[in-house]
Amino acid sequence: MSPAPAPLLVAHAARQAAARADSLADLGGELARQLHRLVPHDGYMLSGKDPVTGVGCFLVEHHGYSCAHFRRIKAAGLLDQQPYPPRRPADRPTSRPTVAVLDTTATALPGIVPLLDSMAGDGWGSEMRLDLVDRAAHWGTLILLRERRRPPFTPADIDNARQVAAPLAASLRGYVGRARPHPMRTAMPPGVLVIDENDGLASATPTGREWLRMCFPNVILDTDEDLSLALWNVAAAARRQSEPVLSRIPTGHGFAALQAQRLTGARRGEVAVTIQAAGTGQLLPAVAAWYGLTPRERTVIDQVLDGRSSKQISHTLDLSQHTTNDHLKAIYRKIRVNGRDELVATLSC
């Protein structure tokens, strides 16, 4: 049996594989396949996060947890909890990524026993959850699963996974930032779905179902229960805060915007979810993060979208014409456009 490759080689191979991926499903499969050489596993779930709000923005998986698993842990009150050891100061995104393991054969806190029982009921013996952290930001989470008949993840597995977390995060960022960032262009009206206090689908517009399936093409959404399951986490996030929850979702057709907000009045606990093409104002903060724009470059884009000339931008921002042009060149390169007109056309609704 050949020895496992070094983390550096796996990280390099993951970047190359991600560059070839044609879809998010391909990306997840390639990252999992490369990581399997270093940390063998039997299933995976890759989720992305809106880099500004931290709300989930996509999910791809292969042999991941079943819908029944999430229903069971929800019934046990664990769906919105973090059943892993709390982060230490050294594990914040500014330093080391968090890698946590759940093992169905190990002694556990009483509160998470239902979670471990549910894992075992799905045939899983061990779970590793890896934060994909890069540039002091959390871009997503990768869950690796091992079957019950397999040995659990080891400290060596955890160390190997931690060493490739940042390159995997960079691969994820690179995939999203590979195409021009534009709002999804469709004539379909916005979709609305209402999640009741028990996290069931209370009602939905016909386009609500269509939008959700467009935004999450890699998730099985055949029934209303499947649709509500896809929105459980965002509904829970909306209930925890007074402001609407926003996620900008990258799709093969551009960015969509998903907003969730608590309903007031007699139906307390219900959450309205609206999905539509991302507006320019909604899109720009996420684009700045995914595409690595500096605060000054973001300000220059705002000026361009307001119709100001380079000379006017220089005057407004107190920059030399040379510096303004340098910012514009950097923006064009990062956004994958050839000039001002193409930039405006790309980012506009």
Side-chain angles (χ1 to χ4, degrees):
M1 182 175 179
S2 59
L8 185 62
L9 294 177
V10 169
H12 178 69
R15 285 178 182 266
Q16 290 185 319
R20 298 190 299 267
D22 293 325
S23 66
L24 284 170
D26 288 341
L27 173 71
E30 289 290 356
L31 296 185
R33 184 171 67 86
Q34 295 302 327
L35 188 54
H36 188 277
R37 301 162 59 204
L38 193 65
V39 183
H41 54 274
D42 303 301
Y44 78 87
M45 302 181 74
L46 173 65
S47 60
K49 290 184 178 292
D50 183 300
V52 181
T53 65
V55 180
C57 64
F58 67 78
L59 171 67
V60 293
E61 57 91 22
H62 183 66
H63 297 317
Y65 286 126
S66 68
C67 290
H69 167 78
F70 291 106
R71 296 187 192 103
R72 290 192 294 265
I73 64 172
K74 177 184 178 294
L78 292 173
L79 185 68
D80 304 319
Q81 297 182 19
Q82 176 57 275
Y84 304 95
R87 281 190 176 94
R88 300 166 298 177
D91 287 333
R92 291 177 299 182
T94 52
S95 54
R96 304 178 72 203
T98 298
V99 183
V101 168
L102 291 176
D103 180 4
T104 59
T105 65
T107 303
L109 296 173
I112 67 168
V113 169
L115 173 57
L116 300 180
D117 289 344
S118 183
M119 286 174 55
D122 260 13
W124 302 115
S126 188
E127 173 200 301
M128 177 187 292
R129 182 170 296 230
L130 173 62
D131 286 344
L132 300 183
V133 174
D134 178 41
R135 298 190 180 185
H138 188 183
W139 304 98
T141 300
L142 180 61
I143 294 176
L144 304 180
L145 298 168
R146 278 186 183 168
E147 296 175 352
R148 293 184 66 185
R149 60 183 175 80
R150 299 277 304 277
F153 293 107
T154 66
D157 292 327
I158 293 173
D159 184 62
N160 284 335
R162 180 175 282 118
Q163 291 185 62
V164 298
L168 292 179
S171 298
L172 177 59
R173 288 184 59 245
Y175 172 84
V176 174
R178 196 170 65 188
R180 293 178 182 175
H182 61 84
M184 185 182 286
R185 297 189 170 99
T186 174
M188 187 167 63
V192 179
L193 305 98
V194 177
I195 305 300
D196 65 28
E197 65 275 13
N198 297 315
D199 286 315
L201 184 63
S203 58
T205 62
T207 54
R209 293 178 168 87
E210 290 185 50
W211 271 106
L212 204 58
R213 293 187 177 108
M214 287 175 61
C215 290
F216 300 100
N218 305 296
V219 180
I220 296 174
L221 300 175
D222 293 335
T223 67
D224 282 359
E225 189 174 21
D226 294 334
L227 293 170
S228 63
L229 179 64
L231 296 173
W232 275 356
N233 284 332
V234 72
R239 293 188 186 104
R240 288 194 296 266
Q241 59 188 65
S242 57
E243 298 297 321
V245 170
L246 173 64
S247 178
R248 284 139 294 209
I249 301 173
T251 77
H253 307 285
F255 277 84
L258 183 153
Q259 279 191 304
Q261 188 173 21
R262 289 183 299 175
L263 291 175
T264 60
R267 299 182 178 276
R268 293 189 61 185
E270 289 194 337
V271 173
V273 177
T274 303
I275 314 176
Q276 58 190 334
T280 303
Q282 292 174 319
L283 183 57
L284 277 177
V287 167
W290 282 116
Y291 288 75
L293 298 174
T294 66
R296 178 59 82 185
E297 289 166 354
R298 166 67 197 281
T299 303
V300 170
I301 287 181
D302 290 336
Q303 297 282 312
V304 170
L305 293 176
D306 283 341
R308 291 184 171 88
S309 66
S310 297
K311 185 176 180 180
Q312 290 171 321
I313 294 173
S314 299
H315 177 74
T316 301
L317 301 182
D318 194 24
L319 301 173
S320 70
Q321 186 69 49
H322 177 76
T323 300
T324 298
N325 289 335
D326 282 345
H327 285 314
L328 287 170
K329 290 177 183 177
I331 291 167
Y332 300 156
R333 173 177 53 81
K334 292 177 180 180
I335 301 296
R336 315 283 196 266
V337 296
N338 295 316
R340 175 189 292 265
D341 291 344
E342 207 167 52
L343 175 67
V344 173
T346 295
L347 295 176
S348 299
C349 300

